[in-house]
Amino acid sequence: VDYFKGSYLDDVRKQKKGYFFLSHCHTDHTKGINEYEFINLCEDFGKTIKIYCTSTTATLVRNRNKLNYLDNKSLFEPVEVGESHYIQLPDKETIKVRVFDAKHCPGSVMFLFSRLKGECEKEYALYTGDFRFENSGNSENSEDSEEIYKVLEELKDQKKQVANLYLDTTFFCPDIKECDRFPSREDCEVEAKELVKKEREENPNVTIHVEMMVGWENILKALSEHFKCKIQPPDDQRSVYEGITEIESYFTEDNNKSWIHIKNTFKKNETCMLCKRDTVKLKPSILWKLYSKSSDIIACRDWSGMWKLAHSIHSSYSETVKFIKKVGAEKVHPIATPKYDNRKEYTNDEMIELCKKYWSPASGSSTEVAGSSTEGAGSSTDGDGRSTEGYGSSTDGAASPHDTEIEKMTRQLAQM
């Protein structure tokens, strides 16, 4: 799951068959997919190697990697939210996989694995990948309305529970109070529209430059729809979304039809190279919030004139706590270790102990949280090679899965 390298590939080569699951397209979850070892494996065994992911994720991975072997139509096996899939293993056992929306970025999903024994399901494992379930008062967006919870309630009614939860713990940091609560994405959209409205009132000819990564599309959509203005992306960003109509429909190549542009670099008092107008930069990222003295503000303007929006595609500390309690599994495996400059660095063992505080297994049995310490803390979350204000991260999050922990998890799932 979310790992395409390491000793597990040796087992796949011996069996001449392999099943891989990809939760979303960010490069910290596709490690190895563009490396020779995995490419060679796919070329050698062709149709017997499968990557299960959503069609959106498959498109984004192809667009971002531009490797011929990824165009093999038999490589990606599409799975969509709400579906169940059955996979027969070499030992004739069958694994059932259910797919749920992770609300992290386009195409992102969670996987609920279970082993079938006759007509009975057993040994449930839930892999969240990266996710954002908001503690929203809006019943339509509230995490209580998530389909995953309905399925878990059904399991509890049948006296069953998740045995292993592999959990996104990117912002699971009780010692950093700013991690406790994040603004909802809807609140960030409202704030973005207000900021842009004020900037345009002060200077009707100003061009808005919005920084972009996969997962921040909602801000662009909100601005485009509210101001009835198409978005102009650079060629490299346009190619990322090629074939994803719901996003491409917001784009234009006509300078005369757009004053909202995607631009991932910024200089103070910069003039737009395309339209020769003054610019204002808007950056959706939660990381600055961790260093803010005010817990209430959603946006702030820095010394360079850039607007920073407290937008997160990972769950906050309190949102993660609520998720842990609702799942009520027997064991938890943290898959990310927070790391922030000049802040406490958590080891994997410390993450395990933090999770134990909030565990409430449905069966009433004693809490057991599994995991092991690994080498070094991850720091790159999307791997685009862009620094994020020197916070030890390249994108919205500030943690990444440990290679050794992910490989261990992959082996555990393979042995279900």
Side-chain angles (χ1 to χ4, degrees), residues 192-252:
K193 288 182 284 190
E194 286 298 315
L195 292 175
V196 171
K197 179 183 177 183
K198 290 178 182 178
E199 291 290 349
R200 293 283 290 180
E201 287 175 348
E202 293 179 10
N203 182 358
N205 292 318
V206 74
T207 292
I208 308 298
H209 282 175
V210 183
E211 187 165 324
M212 185 63 181
M213 66 164 277
V214 176
W216 297 349
E217 297 81 5
N218 64 303
I219 299 298
L220 288 175
K221 290 180 180 180
L223 294 176
S224 179
E225 292 172 357
H226 182 76
F227 294 103
K228 296 180 173 54
C229 176
K230 291 283 188 177
I231 308 295
Q232 185 164 30
D235 290 342
D236 60 338
Q237 286 284 344
R238 185 186 302 277
S239 65
V240 167
Y241 296 104
E242 185 178 348
I244 303 179
T245 307
E246 62 180 279
I247 299 174
E248 284 188 304
S249 63
Y250 289 89
F251 293 164
T252 183

Side-chain angles (χ1 to χ4, degrees), residues 1 7-8 11 15 19 21 89-91 93-95 113-117 122-125 164 166 331 333 406-416:
V1 181
S7 60
Y8 177 67
D11 297 340
Q15 296 176 7
Y19 305 102
F21 294 84
L89 303 180
D91 60 4
E93 284 196 307
T94 300
I95 296 293
F113 300 91
S114 60
R115 174 183 284 173
L116 295 183
K117 288 287 188 180
K122 57 183 295 186
E123 298 181 38
Y124 295 89
N164 292 284
Y166 299 89
K331 299 179 183 179
H333 307 259
I406 291 293
E407 184 170 358
K408 176 184 174 184
M409 177 200 68
T410 298
R411 286 193 170 279
Q412 289 172 335
L413 290 174
Q415 293 167 4
M416 285 184 61

